[in-house]
Amino acid sequence: MRVVVLGGAGFIGAHLVRALVSEGHDVRVFDKSQAALESATFDPSIECLAGDFSDSGSIASALDSCDACYHLISTTLPKSSNIDPVFDVESNVVATLGLLRTAVELGVGKVVFLSSGGTVYGNPVTVPISEGHPTEPLCSYGISKLAIEKYLNLYSTLHGLNYTVLRLSNPYGEGQRLGGSQGAVAVFLGRILAEHGVEIWGDGSVVRDYVYIADVVGALLAALRKGSGKVINIGSGYGLSLNQILDSIEAVTGRTAKRIYMPGRAFD
């Protein structure tokens, strides 16, 4: 298939692109800058396009002649989205509406959207969380992800657009940025290896589901082949606290983390 990966130069996207190529797909990568594309060090045979996700011309070029589209782009993070919800909505929800319109116009066969397995639900009522769990997001990031899910369903109803939504938990693995602003496993590991303090929001008891990147890619590949109109949770199926993550890293590295406990955050 001819497949475009929007946000393909990121941590998840780069792993996905290489897996798609290994399966024999013809892959095009779209990301926000040429620098991001170059840092991903893709094989020269992979077509790479840099552009603005909100620009209709750029998206039309990205989707042109493609059978399927992976939408991995997010311009905000859960912790920053509440600072400027207007930007969050404009750069994610409105921009995605432009993507969906273009996908319909160009006859793209399927859209696979990477949603959030934590933020769309809010505080858990039951654990483990099923796809039928109430959705009460506590941050704009989760609201925007949920809105995009609803618009995908609308475009399926109105225009027959085939789609699958994967509500992803917290991915980790090779290639994740040690100095990034998200991804506890990689960030904590990077801080400990550099002998820097590790800042923890709250008392470290916050529990999340962490899933290995190869399993994430397996789910993304399966979503290309199977199902329509599906919303599926993707995770390991069990939770670990931040303190447990740090304990594991200490055991592996033989180093002691300098734990700096900060006030908790409401959306956690």
Side-chain angles (χ1 to χ4, degrees):
M1 298 175 67
R2 177 70 162 166
V3 182
V4 61
V5 181
L6 306 180
F11 165 53
I12 298 173
H15 279 274
L16 173 62
V17 167
R18 295 184 178 100
L20 287 166
V21 171
S22 70
E23 286 202 344
H25 297 288
D26 185 6
V27 181
R28 176 184 292 155
V29 180
F30 177 89
D31 217 293
K32 60 185 177 181
S33 69
Q34 192 62 40
L37 292 166
E38 290 173 358
S39 67
T41 61
F42 290 124
D43 186 279
S45 64
I46 298 175
E47 182 184 2
C48 294
L49 297 178
D52 183 351
F53 179 48
S54 299
D55 179 66
S56 59
S58 296
I59 292 301
S61 296
L63 267 60
D64 183 45
S65 303
C66 285
D67 303 301
C69 168
Y70 283 97
H71 178 5
L72 312 183
I73 291 177
S74 180
T75 64
T76 60
L77 300 174
K79 66 180 181 181
S80 65
S81 62
N82 287 346
I83 297 173
D84 191 351
V86 173
F87 171 76
D88 183 37
V89 171
E90 289 178 344
S91 59
N92 288 300
V93 181
V94 176
T96 298
L97 283 171
L99 162 67
L100 299 183
R101 180 184 63 238
T102 303
V104 170
E105 291 173 350
L106 296 180
V108 174
K110 184 162 192 178
V111 174
V112 178
F113 174 59
L114 203 57
S115 186
S116 171
T119 64
V120 300
Y121 295 113
N123 289 327
V125 177
T126 58
V127 176
I129 296 171
S130 72
E131 289 84 353
H133 187 283
T135 50
E136 299 292 345
L138 298 175
C139 60
S140 181
Y141 178 94
I143 294 172
S144 291
K145 290 287 190 183
L146 194 57
I148 291 170
E149 292 183 18
K150 299 299 184 184
Y151 277 116
L152 279 163
N153 186 63
L154 177 65
Y155 270 68
S156 175
T157 301
L158 297 180
H159 307 291
L161 181 65
N162 187 355
Y163 75 93
T164 298
V165 171
L166 301 185
R167 289 177 176 167
L168 181 65
S169 61
N170 298 270
Y172 70 93
E174 301 88 349
Q176 195 168 23
R177 291 175 57 200
L178 299 183
S181 54
Q182 63 177 343
V185 174
V187 173
F188 287 179
L189 182 60
R191 299 291 292 180
I192 291 171
L193 290 176
E195 299 184 344
H196 294 155
V198 178
E199 294 184 351
I200 302 168
W201 301 97
D203 62 4
S205 64
V206 170
V207 173
R208 296 189 178 91
D209 182 307
Y210 297 89
V211 58
Y212 183 51
I213 186 62
D215 297 321
V216 176
V217 170
L220 286 164
L221 293 174
L224 185 64
R225 301 185 294 266
K226 302 176 182 179
S228 176
K230 302 281 188 183
V231 176
I232 304 168
N233 286 336
I234 302 298
S236 66
Y238 62 92
L240 294 171
S241 71
L242 295 175
N243 286 329
Q244 287 175 306
I245 293 293
L246 284 170
D247 292 343
S248 296
I249 293 174
E250 287 179 336
V252 169
T253 62
R255 301 188 183 188
T256 301
K258 302 172 184 176
R259 308 186 188 199
I260 304 170
Y261 292 97
M262 312 287 285
R265 303 178 298 186
F267 68 84
D268 284 329

